[in-house]
Amino acid sequence: MDSWGAKMISAIEVVAEMAAIGFGLSKDAFTSLMKEGPHLLAPTGSNLLRHGSEGTVFAGFHYDLNFLTIHGRSRFPGLNIWLRNGKKMEVKVPVGCLLIQSGKQLEWLTGGECLAGMHEVVVTKRTLEAIELAKEQNRSLWRISSTLFSHIASDATLKPLGHFAEAPNAHSYPPICAGEYVEQELSAINLKGKVAL
């Protein structure tokens, strides 16, 4: 798992550098903020033999609060994303490829120019077709998602970088410590742990 996580972080760092250059920022504009970030490798498994009914929701409509999220290709479809125009679209990751989604921390650093991607994971007709094929081939019916959530370091400041400070919605993204921002998000969705006295 450490080896796979390190490879996924390396891929994220390359994409972050490419994005920074493409946005007209210094190459390390994002990666310098990621150093010592609380990156999270969070594989999930769903038993489709038990939970394989059409419409079963594994992850409801949401955005990721981190910087960039990277996924390996799942053996079963079911990930849907929403485009900026509100259109829902099924994700099809080619064999040998990874999927990267923007998170809320990237949205903050770009003053809202690059929005956090809305998405869900649900059993669809294509999932059911893949289940039937897996049964015929005597393959596992576990849907495994290999996901890594890359983060900006908790003590780094989230604020629109460079020319993004002049973006039309930059005022909606005031400076905040990344760790404080994550705590606010977790509290809002009732995932913040209780403080021991």
Side-chain angles (χ1 to χ4, degrees):
M1 293 307 294
D2 287 345
S3 173
W4 179 239
K7 288 176 183 175
M8 292 181 89
I9 283 288
S10 292
I12 287 283
E13 288 171 342
V14 169
V15 170
E17 288 177 346
M18 292 169 56
I21 292 167
F23 288 143
L25 303 171
S26 65
K27 179 180 177 180
D28 70 343
F30 298 130
T31 54
S32 63
L33 296 172
M34 292 173 59
K35 292 199 184 335
E36 305 301 326
H39 312 302
L40 177 64
L41 178 60
T44 57
S46 305
N47 183 349
L48 294 174
L49 184 61
R50 188 169 180 193
H51 304 286
S53 301
E54 187 173 358
T56 299
V57 176
F58 294 122
F61 181 74
H62 69 285
Y63 61 82
D64 294 340
L65 62 85
N66 56 297
F67 175 60
L68 290 172
T69 302
I70 184 169
H71 305 268
R73 183 177 187 271
S74 176
R75 291 178 294 192
F76 295 92
L79 176 61
N80 295 306
I81 61 171
W82 276 260
L83 304 179
R84 277 185 101 125
N85 64 8
K87 181 181 177 189
K88 181 178 175 179
M89 186 173 154
E90 182 182 14
V91 174
K92 297 177 183 175
V93 180
V95 175
C97 294
L98 298 168
L99 170 70
I100 298 180
Q101 293 175 269
S102 60
K104 201 70 170 178
Q105 291 176 347
L106 179 60
E107 181 176 323
W108 211 278
L109 295 171
T110 62
E113 292 292 309
C114 189
L115 297 176
M118 301 302 294
H119 55 285
E120 70 177 2
V121 181
V122 63
V123 175
T124 65
K125 284 184 180 19
R126 281 197 359 98
T127 312
L128 297 178
E129 291 167 5
I131 290 170
E132 289 310 310
L133 181 61
K135 284 179 181 177
E136 290 170 14
Q137 296 174 347
N138 202 28
R139 289 187 291 114
S140 172
L141 294 180
W142 277 85
R143 183 187 192 282
I144 306 296
S145 175
S146 175
T147 305
L148 185 133
F149 301 95
S150 69
H151 282 261
I152 299 303
S154 297
D155 59 354
T157 301
L158 290 176
K159 65 180 179 180
L161 301 178
H163 63 88
F164 290 117
E166 304 303 319
N169 292 321
H171 65 278
S172 299
Y173 302 92
I176 186 171
C177 188
E180 183 181 339
Y181 166 74
V182 169
E183 283 193 18
Q184 287 178 9
E185 284 279 347
L186 293 176
S187 182
I189 58 174
N190 294 319
L191 286 179
K192 186 176 176 192
K194 302 283 186 211
V195 177
L197 297 177

